[in-house]
């Protein structure tokens, strides 16, 4: 090959789409990561549950920004501007609610240069 080398951008490996919120925001994810991080997702993505048979899971009641933040963090995309930007108390509350709902309470995710500690049960 002559000239400059061809640079191929790495595409994250995903096998599942979360369709989140009333606006149906599509978030590509790796099911193995979700199953390892959450016993709720592990159950949802294992037989006999209907969710285990499809390539999309509808989560119409969840906050899209909170779920995208959690999914980026679980998938180690911690340097994206979406993850590193400042969060309002409402944003942090929505992240905590989603983390509690999917039993991600052992996860620690970055928020404003620190950590949002989800290791204790969230009580609204």
């Amino acid at each position: 090959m002559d000239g400059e080398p061809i640079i191929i951008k790495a595409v994250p490996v995903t096998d599942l789409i979360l369709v989140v919120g009333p606006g149906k925001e599509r978030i590509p994810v790796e099911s193995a990561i979700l199953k390892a991080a959450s016993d709720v997702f592990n159950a949802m993505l294992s037989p006999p549950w209907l969710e285990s048979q499809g390539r999309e899971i509808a989560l119409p009641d969840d906050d899209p920004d909170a779920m995208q933040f959690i999914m980026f963090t679980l998938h180690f995309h911690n340097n994206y501007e979406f993850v590193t930007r400042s969060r309002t108390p409402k944003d942090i509350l929505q992240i905590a609610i989603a983390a509690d709902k999917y039993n991600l309470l052992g996860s620690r995710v970055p928020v404003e240069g620190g950590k949002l500690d989800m290791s204790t049960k969230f009580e609204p």
Side-chain angles (χ1 to χ4, degrees), residues 15-57:
D15 63 353
L16 183 67
I17 303 289
L18 301 181
V19 183
V20 183
K24 298 183 179 180
E25 183 169 330
R26 299 171 64 81
I27 303 172
V29 297
E30 173 58 48
S31 62
I33 292 173
L34 295 186
K35 290 169 79 171
S38 163
D39 57 351
V40 175
F41 279 116
N42 187 41
M44 287 172 64
L45 297 171
S46 298
W49 299 105
L50 183 60
E51 290 88 348
S52 69
Q53 300 171 13
R55 295 193 38 94
E56 293 187 357
I57 296 179

Side-chain angles (χ1 to χ4, degrees), residues 65-85:
D65 285 342
M67 290 302 289
Q68 187 171 10
F69 176 88
I70 291 169
M71 294 306 128
F72 275 1
T73 303
L74 288 176
H75 289 75
F76 303 104
H77 298 302
N78 299 334
N79 59 344
Y80 287 3
E81 185 276 332
F82 181 84
V83 173
T84 59
R85 74 176 185 220

Side-chain angles (χ1 to χ4, degrees), residues 34-42 44 67 70 74 95-107 118-122:
L34 295 186
K35 290 169 79 171
S38 163
D39 57 351
V40 175
F41 279 116
N42 187 41
M44 287 172 64
M67 290 302 289
I70 291 169
L74 288 176
I95 293 166
I97 289 169
D100 182 54
K101 178 178 181 178
Y102 294 105
N103 202 21
L104 293 161
L105 299 177
S107 300
M118 305 300 277
S119 60
T120 57
K121 181 134 179 80
F122 174 72

